[in-house]
Amino acid sequence: MTTTSKGTALITGASSGIGAVYADRLARRGFDLILVARNGERLRKLADRLAGETGRKIDVLVADLTHRQDIARVEAVLRAGSGITMLVNNAGVGATAPLLASDIDKMDEMIALNVNVLTRLTYAAVPGFVARGAGTLINIASIVAVSPETLNGVYGGSKAFVLALSQSLQHELADKGVRVQAVLPGATATEFWGIAGLPVQHLPSEIVMTAENMVDAALAGLDQGERVTIPALPDQAEWDAFEAARRAMSGRLSSTTPAQRYRTAAAQA
Ligand code: NAP
């Protein structure tokens, strides 16, 4: 049991799955916790267990992050909490149906939670981290951020946003003492799949990781200073090459003249 506090970590979506494992692991690492989700009963049960097992201070903040007033309460806690040293932006929902089989209102709700809420909470926490010269932001994206063909395209797009925002923040906050990690889990055995319309039992078992292994790998990546962690990717060099190609190309994406292949007669006129 750790006795020195590492400050307080606020975890969204802590009532189940990946978020609940983050709660367990971070409490054991010495963080006090603020656990956020809708299901207060589950949160309180987890908080009681972790407080008993680790001696840490574990608070529960019941909030539906699709409700404006509830988001505002969580934002206020993040803004006011000088003891908050980590935000885990984990709450999210997915979908497995293709675009034409999906309800636009459900897609809109998904964007609201996966994109808008994550952005608002980031804006609430990061200025304090910068002012204090320390803090850690963990954004739970997904492998669909770089493989949008895999599931529902709006879900993939929402997670591509999480990855791009994280990379932009890494760039912007590089010399401010703030760590930003994007985690890209592959299929992970949680309730996510049933809620998204395809229970996890229907996936080939060889591609499914336990939430415990996923979170332990992600925290190992954080300890190693990784900015983007893909727990299942066997060879880190593959991601590094992908990133290097992207960064190299970024210097050639803007110019006064169109590329040679687009210089048609009309474009010359
Ligand atoms: P999960 O077990 O369904 O957990 C989702 C969490 O988000 C729950 O704690 C849920 O709690 C909370 N949540 C959902 N809607 C909410 C709302 N409106 N307000 C507040 N909290 C809300 O699924 P998970 O797999 O752990 O998902 C966690 C994150 O991992 C998500 O961002 C997901 O996109 C990402 N991810 C999952 C997988 C996977 O294969 N499982 C793969 C890649 C990425 P309440 O219901 O109590 O509110």
Side-chain angles (χ1 to χ4, degrees):
M1 188 187 295
T2 314
T3 46
T4 335
S5 175
K6 294 202 174 136
T8 300
L10 186 145
I11 306 168
T12 65
S15 64
S16 66
I18 291 167
V21 179
Y22 266 105
D24 180 279
R25 301 308 194 254
L26 292 176
R28 289 177 204 289
R29 283 177 172 226
F31 285 88
D32 294 330
L33 301 177
I34 302 173
L35 307 178
V36 180
R38 291 169 300 186
N39 189 323
E41 201 182 320
R42 274 181 156 185
L43 289 178
R44 280 184 282 273
K45 211 167 148 196
L46 178 63
D48 288 347
R49 175 173 71 78
L50 292 179
E53 288 175 8
T54 68
R56 305 277 21 133
K57 182 172 182 298
I58 321 273
D59 290 332
V60 160
L61 181 49
V62 178
D64 183 336
L65 293 171
T66 58
H67 292 172
R68 196 66 196 214
Q69 312 87 301
D70 286 14
I71 303 170
R73 281 195 293 124
V74 181
E75 287 177 282
V77 167
L78 286 169
R79 285 208 190 89
S82 59
I84 294 180
T85 53
M86 181 182 280
L87 167 63
V88 185
N89 267 324
N90 165 75
V93 286
T96 53
L99 181 140
L100 294 181
S102 306
D103 171 20
I104 180 59
D105 290 330
K106 287 269 171 236
M107 299 295 99
D108 197 36
E109 277 171 28
M110 181 163 63
I111 295 169
L113 183 63
N114 294 7
V115 173
N116 299 351
V117 168
L118 179 136
T119 306
R120 292 200 72 96
L121 299 187
T122 297
Y123 266 77
V126 166
F129 291 169
V130 171
R132 298 188 286 277
T136 302
L137 176 66
I138 299 176
N139 285 336
I140 307 301
S142 162
I143 56 157
V144 298
V146 290
S147 179
E149 298 84 359
T150 301
L151 294 175
N152 171 277
V154 178
Y155 179 58
S158 76
K159 293 302 186 176
F161 174 90
V162 176
L163 175 60
L165 179 73
S166 305
Q167 289 176 313
S168 166
L169 288 173
Q170 286 156 0
H171 175 71
E172 202 173 313
L173 304 175
D175 59 354
K176 306 267 190 295
V178 180
R179 284 189 300 180
V180 181
Q181 182 198 29
V183 178
L184 276 59
T188 310
T190 69
E191 294 168 16
F192 168 93
W193 288 94
I195 296 166
L198 178 73
V200 73
Q201 297 77 6
H202 295 256
L203 300 180
S205 61
E206 65 275 13
I207 67 157
V208 181
M209 195 178 282
T210 65
E212 288 77 9
N213 283 347
M214 201 301 286
V215 172
D216 287 337
L219 287 171
L222 182 73
D223 293 342
Q224 290 163 27
E226 281 188 1
R227 295 158 158 230
V228 176
T229 297
I230 308 178
L233 184 70
D235 186 359
Q236 176 67 19
E238 207 173 345
W239 173 261
D240 293 342
F242 177 76
E243 266 300 279
R246 186 182 69 79
R247 295 305 296 268
M249 188 174 64
S250 70
R252 296 187 290 275
L253 295 174
S254 193
S255 166
T256 48
T257 49
Q260 182 65 42
R261 67 189 177 285
Y262 302 126
R263 290 188 207 158
T264 60
Q268 307 292 345

